Amino acid sequence: MLHHIHKWKPLHFLQKSQILAPLSSLIFTKPSASAAKFEDEPAAAAVIPNPRNTVSEVITGLGIFGLRKFLGNFYFRTMVSKLNQPEVDLIIESLSLESSDSAFGFFKFLRNECGFRHSRISEFIVVHVLATNRQFQELRSVVKQMVDEEGPGSAPSLCELLLYRFRDWDSSSVVWDMLAFAYSRSEMVHDALSVLAKMKDLNLKVSTSTYNCLLHNLRHTDIMWNVYNEIKDSGTPESDYTRSILIDGLCQQSGLQDAVSFLMDAERTETGPSVVSFNTIMSRFCKLGFVDVAKSFFCVMFKYGLVPDSYSYNILIHGLCVAGSLEEALEFTKDMERHGVQPDTVTYNILCKGFHLLGLMSGARKVIQKMLVKGLNPDHVTYTIMICGHCHVGNIDEALKLQKEMISRGFQLSVIVYSVLLSSMCKSGRVEEALRLLYEMEAVGLEPDLITYSILIHGLCKQGDVQRASEIYREMYMKRIIPNYFAHRAILLGLREKGDIYEARKYFDHLTTRAVTEDIVLYNIMMDGYVKLGNVAEAIQLYKQIIEKGLNPSTVTFNTLIHGFCKTGKLVEARRMLDTIELHGLLPSPVTYTTLMNANCEQGNINGMLELLREMEAKDVEPTHVSYTVVIKGLCRQGKRWDAVHLVEEMYAKGLSPDQITYNTIIKCLCKAQDFEKAFQLHNEMLMHNLAPTPVTYNLLINGLCVYGDLEDADRLLVSLNDSNINLTKVAYTTLIKAHCAKGDVYRAVALFHQMVEKGFEISIRDYSAVINRLCKRCWTTEAKYFFCMMLSDGISPDQELCEVMLNVFDQGGDFDSAAELLAEMIKFGFRPD
DNA sequence: CCGTAACTTA
C-alpha cells in the first residue's frame, strides 16, 4: 500500500513571468487542454512528466505563500482543488525540504480551508517536520487526529509505514514516541504497547511522559507493573507523577493500605515522597468519603517539610463540599490564601459546586463575583456547573441566559450540557423549546447522541405527541444511532397514554417478536395498560407469555397483577401474588404493600390494612408517603380524624413529606365532620410547607361548605378564590350551581352558570342535565326551559333522558306548544317517546 | 501525568 515517491527537485529557476501564462490556463481550462499550452513553454515542458503535475511544480517553485499572494485566495484555491493525494504528498515533501512553515502551512490550508483529506504519508511528513522544529503542540494534535481516525488495532500498519518510508528521517525517535503517546492518550492501550515493542526493536528511547500516560491507562491492571519494570530497566528517569500513578493504581487494585505503604517507602529514596503523591492519596480518600483521613495526610505533608500546592487545597476543599461541609470548605479557602497559595479558577468552581449541592444558587453566583474581583474568569467548567445547577432547581431561564453568555464568550457547549438543558425543559413541559434547542445544537455543529434523542422522545411521548416522537425516532435511526430500550419504553407508554391500547399492542408485538433482547418493562407497561382498562385477563395472558418465554418477571410485574386483582375485588388472589414474588426470588416493594393496603381499605377492612402495615414494617419494607396516605384514608373512614391528623405530624417526624393527596384526604374527612376550622387550618399548613393546594383541594372545601355547612360561606369562598386568581376547575362551579338549584335559589344558579361560561370552560350536556334535572324536580319550568334553550343555542343536542324530563315538565305546566315542538324534535332525533 | 462539570428511568 506504500506509495513510491520520486526524488523531486523544486523548480527554483522558474521565474514569476515565466509561470504567469501557463498558470492562467491551468486555472481556467481543463488539465488536458492545458497540456498543449505548456508545451510552448520550454522551461516548464522540460520538467513536466504529465500535465497535472505542473500544478505541483508551480507550487513548489514559487513557494506556497508566494503563489497564494501572487494569485489571490480564490484562484489559489481553484488551482489547488485539482490536486490528488499523491500530488499533494509530492508537494508537501518538497516544501518540507525548503521550510517547515510552508509545508505545515500548505497542509493546514488544504485540510482546513479546502476540506482535503490528507494521506498518511503527507501527515507523517508534516509530523517529522514539526518534530524537528520542536513544535510539540501541533505535532501532538496532528498525531492525535491520525490515531483517532485510524482507531484501535491500527498500530501495526502505521508502524510499518514509519518503518519503511521514514526510517532515516530526522527526529524519527520523537515521532515514534509521539505515536505511542497518542495511542495511550486515546486509550488504545494495546496499540500503544505494540508501538513500544517496535521501538524496543529499533532501540528508540521512550519519554517519561509517554510511559506515565501508559501507566495511567493501565493502572487498573497488573500490566502496570510490567511497564514500571520496563521504565526501570531502560533507565528512563521517573517523574513525580510516575510514583503517584502507581499509588493511584494501588489504591484501586489492592487497597489504600498498600498505597500508603508504597508512599511511605519513598521516604528511603533520596528525593522522598512528593506533593503529587500525597495529593493522589488525599484525592482517593476524599472520593471514598474519608475527608478526615485526607486532612491528616495534609498534616503529614508539613512534617515531611513539603508545601501543599493548589491541588492539595482544592482536593480537600472539594472533599469538604461533597461531604456537605461548605463552611469548612470556605474556611479552608481562607487558610489557603493565608499560606500564600492563591485560589484559582478550579477552587472557585469547586465552591460553586458546593453551593449548588446545597441548592444555594445565589451563593454560587456570589462565588463567581468574588472570582471576577480576583481577576479570574469563569471557564467552561464554571458555566457547566452553573447551568446544571440552575437546571437542577428548575430555573431554566437562568440556565439559558448563561448558555447564551457562554456562547458569546466563545466557549463550545458540550452535547451533555445541551442534554441537561433539554432534559429540564422536557421535565417542565417546555418540549417545544426543547425541539428548538435541538435544532440550535445541530446548527452549531454538535451531533445529538442517543441520550439527547432519548430525552426528546421521552418528553414528546409524555406530552402525548407520539407522532413527533416517532419522527425524531426515525431521524435518529437515519443517523445510525440505534435506539435502545429507553426510547421503546417511552413510545409504548406514549401510545398507551393516548388511550389506544390496540395501537400500543401493535407496537408491543412488533418489538417483542423481533427484538433480540427482551425488556420486561415493555411487558409491565402493556400489562399496566390492560389493568387500568379493567382487562385483567389480558394482563394475565401477557404474564403467561413472560413465563413461557423464560423471561424474568420483576416486582413491578407482580405489583401490576396485584393491582389488577385488587381492582376486580379478588383480594385473596392478590394476597397470594405477594407470596409468588418471593417464590421468584424477588422482594415485595412498598408499592406491593401499599396496593394491598389500599384494597383492604376500600373494602372497609381497616384491620386487614393495619395488619399489612405491620407485616410490611416487619419485613423492612419502608412505608412511603403514599402508604401513610392510605392509612389516613382508612382512619378517616372510621371517623378517627384526630388520629389521621396526628399521622400527618408523624410523617413529618419520619422525614416523609405528605403530598396534596394526603391533605385532600384529611380535608375531605374534616369537612364531612363539619370541622371547617381544622379543614382550613390544614389548607394553610399546605401553604406553609410549600405545597400548592390543587383544584381538588378547593373543590373539597366548596363541596364541604355546600353540603355540610353554610352555602353562603361557599359562595364567599369562590369569590375570594377568584379574587386571588387561584386556578379552579369547572367542578367548583357545578358544585355550587347544583347546591343553589337544590336549595331553590335559581337566580344565583343562573348567575354562576354564566360566570362559568365566561371563564371559558367547556360545558357538556352533563352540566346542563344536572341543572335542568334539579330545576324540574322543583318545577321551576321557566328556568328549566331557559337552560334548555341555552343548551340548544350552544349547539349541544339533548339526549333521550333529558328530553323526557323536559317533556314531563311541559306537560305538567300545561305548555303544550312547547311539548309538541319538543316531541317533533325528538322524533327527528330518532328518540322514542314513551 | 494529582484538583472542578457531564444527560433518560415504568
Side-chain angles (χ1 to χ4, degrees):
Chain A
M1 291 298 288
L2 302 176
H3 300 281
H4 259 298
I5 286 212
H6 341 275
K7 269 292 163 207
W8 191 260
K9 233 180 164 189
L11 305 175
H12 295 295
F13 53 90
L14 267 179
Q15 296 302 306
K16 269 187 197 175
S17 55
Q18 285 178 293
I19 308 169
L20 190 59
L23 259 189
S24 58
S25 67
L26 248 185
I27 294 161
F28 297 110
T29 53
K30 286 183 188 159
S32 54
S34 71
K37 299 230 172 180
F38 258 95
E39 278 162 1
D40 302 336
E41 291 286 336
V47 285
I48 298 167
N50 89 56
R52 281 172 58 72
N53 274 356
T54 16
V55 185
S56 344
E57 288 170 29
V58 165
I59 290 172
T60 28
L62 257 188
I64 294 304
F65 297 113
L67 187 65
R68 195 165 159 191
K69 208 169 145 197
F70 184 75
L71 285 172
N73 255 344
F74 174 75
Y75 292 135
F76 183 64
R77 200 182 309 230
T78 313
M79 192 178 102
V80 142
S81 67
K82 296 182 195 298
L83 298 171
N84 59 26
Q85 273 191 352
E87 286 167 346
V88 170
D89 292 346
L90 283 169
I91 297 172
I92 289 185
E93 183 164 11
S94 60
L95 285 173
S96 75
L97 302 174
E98 296 293 292
S99 90
S100 75
D101 280 349
S102 63
F104 188 48
F106 187 55
F107 177 86
K108 273 196 296 191
F109 173 81
L110 278 179
R111 189 188 61 188
N112 301 345
E113 288 176 53
C114 307
F116 185 81
R117 229 191 107 93
H118 283 290
S119 70
R120 298 288 174 235
I121 292 182
S122 273
E123 283 171 338
F124 269 134
I125 295 170
V126 161
V127 160
H128 278 89
V129 165
L130 291 170
T132 312
N133 267 26
R134 314 191 72 74
Q135 291 173 273
F136 292 116
Q137 236 179 19
E138 292 85 351
L139 169 63
R140 189 193 279 198
S141 103
V142 175
V143 179
K144 181 186 171 1
Q145 205 186 342
M146 181 158 58
V147 159
D148 286 344
E149 273 173 25
E150 288 283 336
S154 57
S157 72
L158 288 186
C159 286
E160 197 191 357
L161 186 55
L162 272 183
L163 207 54
Y164 294 106
R165 176 65 176 72
F166 295 94
R167 176 167 243 167
D168 304 321
W169 286 53
D170 287 347
S171 306
S172 153
S173 86
V174 178
V175 171
W176 279 91
D177 184 60
M178 186 54 79
L179 188 65
F181 180 81
Y183 272 124
S184 277
R185 270 305 275 262
S186 297
E187 285 169 357
M188 294 181 245
V189 195
H190 291 291
D191 291 277
L193 286 171
S194 86
V195 177
L196 285 194
K198 275 271 180 320
M199 287 175 78
K200 213 172 172 181
D201 293 345
L202 296 167
N203 250 328
L204 294 172
K205 241 178 62 190
V206 180
S207 68
T208 306
S209 54
T210 297
Y211 270 132
N212 282 350
C213 187
L214 193 60
L215 268 183
H216 180 256
N217 280 320
L218 291 169
R219 71 195 190 284
H220 309 286
T221 66
D222 297 341
I223 315 172
M224 174 173 88
W225 297 108
N226 300 348
V227 176
Y228 185 56
N229 288 333
E230 202 183 304
I231 293 173
K232 284 199 290 196
D233 291 347
S234 66
T236 311
E238 293 178 31
S239 73
D240 278 351
Y241 296 117
T242 316
R243 283 207 139 235
S244 89
I245 296 163
L246 290 169
I247 289 172
D248 201 36
L250 271 173
C251 285
Q252 291 174 49
Q253 280 186 50
S254 45
L256 294 170
Q257 199 45 56
D258 287 356
V260 173
S261 331
F262 190 82
L263 172 77
M264 294 312 179
D265 271 353
E267 218 179 324
R268 290 188 295 275
T269 65
E270 63 265 46
T271 46
S274 68
V275 175
V276 179
S277 293
F278 271 103
N279 290 346
T280 306
I281 279 278
M282 290 196 296
S283 172
R284 276 284 147 220
F285 274 106
C286 282
K287 277 183 184 137
L288 290 168
F290 305 122
V291 191
D292 287 339
V293 185
K295 264 197 281 186
S296 65
F297 274 104
F298 203 85
C299 301
V300 178
M301 277 172 82
F302 284 113
K303 279 195 198 133
Y304 277 95
L306 293 167
V307 182
D309 60 8
S310 62
Y311 284 79
S312 322
Y313 281 99
N314 287 340
I315 290 165
L316 271 180
I317 293 169
H318 182 243
L320 289 165
C321 281
V322 170
S325 321
L326 184 57
E327 298 233 345
E328 211 185 330
L330 291 167
E331 203 48 54
F332 220 84
T333 314
K334 279 185 203 150
D335 245 39
M336 177 176 182
E337 284 178 84
R338 271 197 289 273
H339 283 86
V341 185
Q342 284 310 311
D344 56 15
T345 309
V346 176
T347 318
Y348 289 108
N349 288 347
I350 292 168
L351 291 174
C352 275
K353 178 186 172 183
F355 278 101
H356 146 59
L357 284 176
L358 295 174
L360 304 166
M361 289 312 287
S362 54
R365 211 169 296 158
K366 279 192 195 120
V367 171
I368 292 183
Q369 252 143 36
K370 183 139 187 215
M371 180 173 175
L372 291 168
V373 169
K374 292 252 176 177
L376 293 168
N377 281 324
D379 62 5
H380 69 286
V381 178
T382 323
Y383 278 106
T384 306
I385 294 171
M386 293 300 282
I387 290 175
C388 295
H390 283 302
C391 282
H392 201 74
V393 294
N395 193 350
I396 298 167
D397 295 310
E398 197 57 40
L400 283 173
K401 232 193 261 171
L402 284 172
Q403 183 231 357
K404 299 270 173 312
E405 192 181 308
M406 200 174 164
I407 291 172
S408 73
R409 296 213 177 166
F411 290 109
Q412 257 275 3
L413 269 90
S414 69
V415 177
I416 295 178
V417 177
Y418 269 104
S419 293
V420 170
L421 281 163
L422 284 169
S423 164
S424 58
M425 276 179 175
C426 288
K427 271 183 193 143
S428 56
R430 294 159 71 167
V431 187
E432 214 58 52
E433 276 176 84
L435 278 172
R436 247 180 284 144
L437 203 65
L438 175 77
Y439 300 131
E440 183 192 308
M441 75 184 275
E442 284 175 327
V444 298
L446 281 175
E447 284 291 330
D449 62 8
L450 174 66
I451 294 178
T452 321
Y453 280 120
S454 299
I455 291 169
L456 269 168
I457 290 172
H458 187 253
L460 282 164
C461 287
K462 225 171 176 177
Q463 229 195 19
D465 199 345
V466 189
Q467 180 66 41
R468 264 203 292 180
S470 318
E471 281 164 26
I472 299 279
Y473 185 94
R474 265 192 293 278
E475 197 177 313
M476 157 165 86
Y477 212 87
M478 292 302 199
K479 290 192 183 171
R480 308 210 172 276
I481 299 172
I482 306 305
N484 62 5
Y485 64 93
F486 196 86
H488 296 146
R489 290 175 189 182
I491 290 178
L492 183 65
L493 202 66
L495 288 170
R496 199 195 75 185
E497 293 303 294
K498 252 174 59 183
D500 193 347
I501 195 91
Y502 299 106
E503 194 67 28
R505 183 58 188 260
K506 235 168 65 191
Y507 183 66
F508 171 83
D509 286 338
H510 166 79
L511 285 178
T512 47
T513 48
R514 285 184 5 156
V516 193
T517 48
E518 295 265 31
D519 179 13
I520 188 67
V521 176
L522 293 175
Y523 284 86
N524 293 347
I525 294 172
M526 209 58 231
M527 286 169 67
D528 192 44
Y530 284 123
V531 165
K532 282 195 171 120
L533 289 172
N535 188 353
V536 185
E538 197 57 50
I540 295 174
Q541 208 53 45
L542 278 176
Y543 174 69
K544 283 184 185 152
Q545 202 177 311
I546 293 171
I547 302 299
E548 276 166 21
K549 284 195 179 178
L551 285 173
N552 288 327
S554 68
T555 301
V556 176
T557 317
F558 293 110
N559 289 350
T560 308
L561 285 173
I562 288 175
H563 184 213
F565 286 130
C566 287
K567 214 175 159 181
T568 45
K570 294 175 180 162
L571 289 206
V572 182
E573 266 123 321
R575 168 71 224 203
R576 216 179 287 144
M577 269 288 142
L578 183 73
D579 306 323
T580 317
I581 293 179
E582 281 161 356
L583 281 177
H584 276 83
L586 296 163
L587 290 173
S589 71
V591 177
T592 321
Y593 277 102
T594 308
T595 309
L596 282 166
M597 280 163 62
N598 187 52
N600 274 275
C601 177
E602 292 293 327
Q603 288 206 346
N605 184 0
I606 307 300
N607 285 334
M609 177 193 80
L610 293 172
E611 182 57 43
L612 280 161
L613 180 69
R614 274 189 289 272
E615 186 184 321
M616 156 178 211
E617 279 167 338
K619 284 195 188 169
D620 274 333
V621 181
E622 280 290 313
T624 65
H625 72 281
V626 183
S627 321
Y628 276 96
T629 304
V630 170
V631 175
I632 286 169
K633 187 165 76 175
L635 292 172
C636 286
R637 292 230 165 158
Q638 288 185 318
K640 297 177 176 166
R641 60 182 196 277
W642 296 116
D643 291 343
V645 171
H646 282 138
L647 207 50
V648 175
E649 285 160 20
E650 216 178 295
M651 285 175 76
Y652 280 115
K654 281 198 173 183
L656 289 171
S657 305
D659 64 5
Q660 283 100 334
I661 300 177
T662 319
Y663 276 101
N664 290 349
T665 307
I666 297 201
I667 287 173
K668 184 178 171 184
C669 172
L670 290 167
C671 285
K672 205 171 174 183
Q674 295 184 297
D675 192 346
F676 294 109
E677 205 186 314
K678 188 72 193 167
F680 278 93
Q681 197 185 318
L682 279 172
H683 162 263
N684 291 340
E685 202 179 300
M686 287 178 85
L687 296 177
M688 263 172 23
H689 285 103
N690 263 331
L691 261 185
T694 64
V696 174
T697 316
Y698 294 110
N699 293 341
L700 284 169
L701 287 167
I702 289 172
N703 184 65
L705 288 170
C706 286
V707 180
Y708 310 106
D710 189 341
L711 187 48
E712 283 184 32
D713 284 342
D715 272 332
R716 276 192 284 271
L717 178 57
L718 184 80
V719 171
S720 85
L721 290 174
N722 270 331
D723 287 348
S724 323
N725 272 325
I726 285 170
N727 258 345
L728 294 173
T729 58
K730 203 174 68 173
V731 182
Y733 291 91
T734 54
T735 306
L736 266 170
I737 292 167
K738 281 181 222 161
H740 281 295
C741 286
K743 207 189 155 203
D745 190 346
V746 191
Y747 301 103
R748 227 17 237 139
V750 172
L752 279 167
F753 203 100
H754 281 301
Q755 222 185 69
M756 173 168 78
V757 175
E758 269 167 39
K759 290 265 173 192
F761 290 117
E762 185 112 355
I763 315 294
S764 71
I765 180 166
R766 293 175 64 87
D767 302 315
Y768 281 105
S769 306
V771 177
I772 294 169
N773 281 326
R774 280 180 176 75
L775 291 170
C776 290
K777 218 178 242 172
R778 298 184 139 249
C779 293
W780 295 83
T781 315
T782 324
E783 286 75 11
K785 198 173 159 184
Y786 172 80
F787 274 111
F788 192 73
C789 293
M790 191 166 148
M791 181 177 89
L792 292 176
S793 71
D794 216 8
I796 296 173
S797 310
D799 58 9
Q800 172 144 2
E801 198 187 330
L802 188 58
C803 287
E804 276 162 15
V805 170
M806 283 307 294
L807 211 54
N808 212 9
V809 142
F810 289 145
D811 283 342
Q812 275 177 12
D815 187 351
F816 300 115
D817 289 345
S818 299
E821 206 178 312
L822 181 56
L823 206 57
E825 280 300 312
M826 283 174 74
I827 290 163
K828 231 166 73 188
F829 279 124
F831 298 152
R832 283 181 300 104
D834 290 331

